[in-house]
Amino acid sequence: MEPVHPEFVPDADLDRDEMEALQCDIADAAVFEDDFEFDPERVCADRETGQRALVETDSSSDGGPVVVGVDQAFLDDDRAVSALVALQDGEVIERAHAVAPTEIPYIPGLLSFREGGAILAGFRELSVEPDLAFFDGSGRIHFREAGLATHVGVTLDLPSIGVAKNLLCGRPVASTDGLSEGERVGIEANEDVTAADGTVIGHAVQSRQYDSPNRYINPLIVSPGHRVGAETAGDLVLACSAGYKLPEPTRLADQYADDLKGEIAD
DNA sequence: GCGACAG
DNA sequence: ATCTTGTCGC
């Protein structure tokens, strides 16, 4: 698929100020509430739950929503590999990838300008029309409410969700320690975020947890990218989780990215 | 100057 | 993100 908003395509040649200004425009264009056509109840992690959903909804003629997981790996020479894995009813239906140079270094808050090019190139290679995308990083949980998931989601006008392993900014409304599987804690805007103080911009989501041992798994940091509300974003991530910390689309994209890195290793 | 920060 | 063996625990 191609960008719907060419003016938002990340340009690594911009000044820092210009990048930040573009992010503000993107945040204005972003929709942080549910605004999609697919049935969220039909988004699933694996074939088993997928088949169950098919039976329960009795809508087996058409396929469920197509969810694509996106991740990147880096080559030793300033090039990034984007890996996309598309799933439908819990099964992989397509994989796509692209390689692109990383023009700038990693700068907290400007991640999309480093990895966005490779990601959009990857989407260009994807032939199926996705209903939803999971990105590795933040969406609305960002200084200017325009993290990687929001930037790419708005540019493609594709419903998207940011799935990060660490918190970039904002403040948890309660302790995020000791959460049980399936639980979540809101992340609200503070002085570091452009949103009004107290606005819930995402959640710490416990997608997986050990039963009781003295071992512990940290929660995922989930936030709306585009056309998905904070609560629904958490619901969808949990719906796509299948016994691993990362939701299936993201986990498989991670794997695919690693494979590609090894194969392309010129 | 100090602190803080996705991948 | 990336460099990497063993190791703890179910």
Side-chain angles (χ1 to χ4, degrees):
Chain A
M1 68 190 297
E2 298 288 328
V4 170
H5 292 293
E7 70 274 25
F8 292 149
V9 170
D11 178 358
D13 291 325
L14 298 177
D15 298 326
R16 179 168 187 140
D17 290 333
E18 298 176 316
M19 291 181 178
E20 298 188 349
L22 180 61
Q23 292 183 322
C24 291
D25 290 342
I26 289 166
D28 283 337
V31 174
F32 298 128
E33 59 186 48
D34 292 356
D35 176 27
F36 47 76
E37 303 302 303
F38 65 85
D39 178 359
E41 298 299 316
R42 291 194 63 188
V43 169
C44 59
D46 50 56
R47 189 174 194 173
E48 290 64 55
T49 55
Q51 296 304 346
R52 189 185 61 194
L54 284 176
V55 174
E56 291 178 353
T57 59
D58 187 36
S59 52
S60 48
S61 53
D62 57 314
V66 173
V67 182
V68 53
V70 185
D71 188 42
Q72 296 78 239
F74 297 85
L75 277 38
D76 304 310
D77 62 336
D78 296 306
R79 286 191 302 165
V81 187
S82 64
L84 323 209
V85 177
L87 291 88
Q88 180 174 45
D89 297 318
E91 297 192 322
V92 175
I93 58 171
E94 184 184 350
R95 289 179 203 276
H97 71 93
V99 180
T102 54
E103 322 264 45
I104 60 174
Y106 164 65
I107 300 171
L110 299 179
L111 182 64
S112 60
F113 288 92
R114 170 175 166 78
E115 312 186 344
I119 294 175
L120 289 175
F123 271 100
R124 209 161 281 131
E125 299 300 310
L126 190 68
S127 52
V128 293
E129 203 63 33
D131 290 297
L132 172 71
F134 283 8
F135 292 97
D136 61 315
S138 280
R140 193 182 189 184
I141 295 182
H142 178 274
F143 310 119
R144 291 165 293 281
E145 300 177 87
L148 177 67
T150 299
H151 195 150
V152 179
V154 170
T155 300
L156 296 171
D157 191 29
L158 171 68
S160 64
I161 294 172
V163 180
K165 302 179 193 66
N166 296 289
L167 186 61
L168 173 63
C169 58
R171 158 217 323 138
V173 301
S175 170
T176 57
D177 295 328
L179 295 178
S180 297
E181 204 164 291
E183 294 189 317
R184 69 183 75 181
V185 168
I187 302 296
E188 53 183 28
N190 58 6
E191 50 283 351
D192 298 334
V193 185
T194 51
D197 196 288
T199 303
V200 175
I201 54 177
H203 294 86
V205 178
Q206 199 71 52
S207 53
R208 180 184 176 187
Q209 190 53 279
Y210 290 126
D211 295 313
S212 61
N214 28 37
R215 266 191 105 59
Y216 185 73
I217 296 178
N218 292 124
L220 289 174
I221 304 300
V222 180
S223 61
H226 180 45
R227 295 172 53 181
V228 178
E231 207 65 45
T232 302
D235 294 342
L236 292 170
V237 165
L238 288 176
C240 286
S241 296
Y244 294 90
K245 172 169 177 171
L246 295 175
E248 290 303 284
T250 300
R251 192 176 68 82
L252 295 174
D254 251 324
Q255 243 174 46
Y256 186 36
D258 276 341
D259 294 344
L260 289 170
K261 180 187 171 97
E263 295 169 17
I264 300 176
D266 293 323

